[in-house]
Amino acid sequence: MTWSDRLAELGIELPGVAAPLAAYVPAVRTGSYVYTSGQLPIVKGELEATGKVGAEVSPEEAKQYARTSILNALAAVDSVAGLDNIARVVKVVGFVASAEGFTGQPAVINGASELLGEIFGEAGIHARSAVGVAELPIGAPVEIELIVEVK
């Protein structure tokens, strides 16, 4: 079974690659690795939500936005190396626009990590950082970066 087959089995369709917001590309392949730029929860060109987690955005909503963001990251990987060429997920870096006192960043970024596990199984187990920040681009509640090893 390919990763594309697994996505279909889960009823998930990769989105188109989100257009960059500034002077960068969505993903770069170097050797056996693909590094993505930060991916926001953008669906069909529109940001799903704005605001800080723990204030305007609930942690549960933010977890879903992390899932959207990781799908955008996978689309970026697919555009430069092909989804089915992923050998393993290496690292996820998640940024959470956090209201004062909010400390649930790891649970929010679990939205991305858990989806990678559903798709890739053992190959989806990865290193990770979950960082609370004051602001993210265009008011996004979540931003995700992804590093994968490819065949």
Side-chain angles (χ1 to χ4, degrees), residues 2-119:
T2 67
W3 302 130
S4 296
D5 293 339
R6 180 65 180 143
L7 280 179
E9 184 178 271
L10 293 169
I12 298 170
E13 188 174 324
L14 275 187
V17 178
L21 301 175
Y24 61 89
V25 294
V28 172
R29 180 179 180 166
T30 182
S32 298
Y33 295 93
V34 176
Y35 295 77
T36 72
S37 296
Q39 299 294 315
L40 305 176
I42 292 176
V43 175
K44 297 180 182 172
E46 299 292 326
L47 189 62
E48 285 188 298
T50 60
K52 294 187 181 193
V53 182
E56 302 86 5
V57 177
S58 75
E60 296 77 22
E61 290 169 322
K63 186 174 180 180
Q64 289 304 309
Y65 300 144
R67 285 178 66 97
T68 301
S69 298
I70 202 67
L71 287 173
N72 286 335
L74 289 172
V77 170
D78 188 48
S79 75
V80 298
L83 183 74
D84 293 326
N85 289 319
I86 294 175
R88 73 163 297 122
V89 177
V90 176
K91 186 166 185 182
V92 170
V93 180
F95 302 95
V96 180
S98 301
E100 187 175 336
F102 179 73
T103 60
Q105 294 84 6
V108 169
I109 303 305
N110 276 350
S113 295
E114 291 168 0
L115 182 57
L116 290 170
E118 289 175 43
I119 297 167

